[in-house]
Amino acid sequence: MTIRYEIAERVLHFKQPAGTSRGTYTTRRSWFVTLIDDEGRQGAGECAPLPRLSCDDLPDYQQRLQELCEAFCRYASRASWPDAMAPWAVIDSDDALLSAFRPYPSMLFGMETAFHQLQAHRSMLFRTPFSRGEEGIPINGLVWMGTYDEMLSRIEEKIKAGFRCVKLKIGAIEFDKELDLIRHIRNSFGREQIELRVDANGAFSPDSALQRLEQLARYDIHSIEQPIRQGQWLEMARLCRESPLPIALDEELIGVNATAEKERLLDTIRPAYIILKPSLHGGMAGSHEWIEMARKRGIGSWITSALESNIGLNAIAHFAAVTYGSHISMPQGLGTGMLFTDNISMPLEIRNDMLWRV
């Protein structure tokens, strides 16, 4: 079988500015890879690095993507593929190709998605209860950074929409005002009714972090993502030991692609959770490796999108369903399908706090 590729660049536009610790996004730039076999069947995947965050956010991104696409197509054209294969097994059998892709997680994720769709001949990448429309995946409602009034309004919208897990991005306004927002939720809803997660995106300093974690812990917070900037392993390890609030790592995992380095990070920091974004954390192959390493150490995990279009979101949802199996109980971060004015249509639908394939 001969496989060739095509690459198309596209800019998507946010319905409202998306505030993060790395700035505010109004547009999203993605490269869509289409794989085509000699019978004309196609599979599409999304390669979408995040500016100033992804380890493969490169000035010559498209050139490097073309080189990897050529290498992948040479490999895929000569390989023998089973009818069904694990989502993380596309390049595992070729050490040279795996080594070539490891530094470029968003490119690997796009290639994995395109190849699995090519194999399946449709947008149902893997056969699971989710892909058959029999089960939904629980998701959290995401509240973006903004002014106090903006965030309060967004919180109330998510709760009215039926979300039972709400994630707040903090660090954009005064910490006391962010505590007021959290207090407002807890005055109306106990932890049995609403699970609260917060994402600091590294906004706290090592000196102030523990005190702030103690203040947040008074409000029955499920967990906090990345309280301090990544790269401070010993400080993060201290916080994980001393914090009354479970700590989850996200940005900390970016750029840590070698197996031995992943083991060293987990053994040094010992977080309560890790959060996997395939576009940032090694594609499906690398994310699966992180999850399995974490399981062996008693560390929990969940999967989230990284502001991809519905092409990427569909693939991530399928990956979560096949990774965690039937009846997923922990909310995943997959509620990003309505972000763009010009998104790509996919058979996905949010009902209350569940993502369904329709």
Side-chain angles (χ1 to χ4, degrees), residues 201-214:
N201 287 124
F204 303 160
S205 71
D207 292 337
S208 67
L210 186 59
Q211 180 184 9
R212 292 189 171 188
L213 294 176
E214 289 169 347

Side-chain angles (χ1 to χ4, degrees), residues 243-299:
S243 172
L245 187 60
I247 291 175
L249 302 184
D250 178 358
E251 289 98 330
E252 198 73 65
L253 313 181
I254 296 172
V256 181
N257 298 312
T259 301
E261 192 72 354
K262 292 179 180 181
E263 291 175 334
R264 192 168 76 85
L265 183 150
L266 293 176
D267 289 337
T268 299
I269 298 179
R270 290 283 175 177
Y273 301 100
I274 59 172
I275 301 167
L276 285 310
K277 295 180 172 71
S279 289
L280 295 177
H281 300 134
M284 297 183 196
S287 296
H288 175 258
E289 185 175 54
W290 275 115
I291 290 167
E292 288 304 303
M293 287 180 178
R295 278 178 177 160
K296 291 176 182 177
R297 292 163 172 79
I299 297 169

Side-chain angles (χ1 to χ4, degrees), residues 155-207:
I155 290 166
E156 292 172 345
E157 285 176 9
K158 295 300 180 185
I159 292 173
K160 287 178 182 177
F163 285 95
R164 290 171 292 177
C165 176
V166 176
K167 171 180 164 180
L168 284 73
K169 283 188 171 286
I170 60 176
I173 60 176
E174 292 178 17
F175 184 66
D176 288 344
K177 290 185 176 180
E178 291 171 335
L179 285 178
D180 284 343
L181 288 169
I182 294 168
R183 189 181 303 114
H184 170 78
I185 299 173
R186 278 292 173 247
N187 285 342
S188 302
F189 302 95
R191 65 179 178 182
E192 297 80 11
Q193 297 167 291
I194 296 292
E195 178 180 288
L196 282 177
R197 299 173 178 173
V198 295
D199 183 359
N201 287 124
F204 303 160
S205 71
D207 292 337

